[in-house]
């Protein structure tokens, strides 16, 4: 088993270099109504020297006290496209009038899991009225 799973939690906004690559959990502060900048999980970011081809990641949003916050996630571009649009909370995958299927709505307290490729970015947004924290956890490497 990789030492990644035993690494210290590193805040996503300040993680960089080898320390970021070794962390299996990243925490991103989500200001209400403001989309997270396009982000690549450090273990998959080739600009940091990562060699991992893919990984399964879990996403969960809460208020910092363990109370779940619903959020929207957008991760439909592959390969560090740098053009992932700002998530539109009205364009979630379950809305009957959703034409673009731009982003997926994740209910409060629910973990969303997906396989990510190297350099694949994601963006998230929440509209709870208060700041929240998006926790992104490495579940396993897809190439192991």
């Amino acid at each position: 088993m990789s030492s990644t799973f035993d690494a210290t939690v590193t805040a996503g906004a300040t993680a960089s270099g080898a320390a970021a690559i070794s962390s299996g959990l990243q925490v991103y502060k989500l200001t209400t109504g403001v989309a997270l900048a396009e982000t690549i999980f450090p273990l998959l970011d080739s600009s940091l020297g990562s060699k991992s081809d893919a990984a399964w990641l879990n996403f969960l949003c809460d208020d910092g006290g363990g109370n779940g916050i619903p959020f929207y996630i957008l991760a439909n571009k592959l390969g560090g496209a740098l053009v992932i649009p700002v998530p539109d909370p009205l364009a979630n995958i379950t809305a009957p009038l959703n034409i673009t299927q731009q982003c997926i709505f994740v209910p409060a307290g629910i973990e969303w899991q997906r396989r990510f490729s190297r350099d694949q970015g994601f963006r998230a947004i929440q509209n709870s009225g208060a700041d929240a924290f998006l926790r992104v956890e490495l579940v396993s490497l897809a190439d192991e």
Side-chain angles (χ1 to χ4, degrees):
M1 179 178 286
S2 170
S3 60
T4 300
F5 295 98
D6 302 320
T8 306
V9 174
T10 306
T14 58
S16 62
I21 292 175
S22 67
S23 178
L25 175 66
Q26 297 290 304
V27 181
Y28 304 92
K29 184 176 181 182
L30 296 181
T31 302
T32 187
V34 178
L36 180 70
E38 181 180 359
T39 303
I40 298 172
F41 193 77
L43 186 84
L44 297 172
D45 191 341
S46 63
S47 70
L48 298 179
S50 173
K51 302 282 191 255
S52 296
D53 287 332
W56 285 94
L57 302 177
N58 265 0
F59 292 74
L60 182 65
C61 189
D62 65 45
D63 64 359
N67 301 305
I69 301 289
F71 67 101
Y72 298 84
I73 186 110
L74 179 62
N76 61 344
K77 302 280 187 184
L78 294 173
L82 299 178
V83 292
I84 294 181
V86 173
D88 177 0
L90 299 178
N92 69 74
I93 201 102
T94 58
L97 298 178
N98 179 20
I99 296 171
T100 63
Q101 296 188 349
Q102 182 192 30
C103 57
I104 296 172
F105 174 74
V106 182
I110 301 297
E111 284 187 344
W112 183 74
Q113 185 180 84
R114 180 175 171 163
R115 181 182 184 270
F116 278 75
S117 299
R118 181 184 300 152
D119 293 329
Q120 181 179 356
F122 60 88
R123 295 189 79 172
I125 191 170
Q126 60 87 18
N127 288 306
S128 68
D131 292 346
F133 299 91
L134 179 68
R135 300 174 194 282
V136 185
E137 181 179 13
L138 173 70
V139 177
S140 67
L141 294 176
D143 52 358
E144 283 188 335

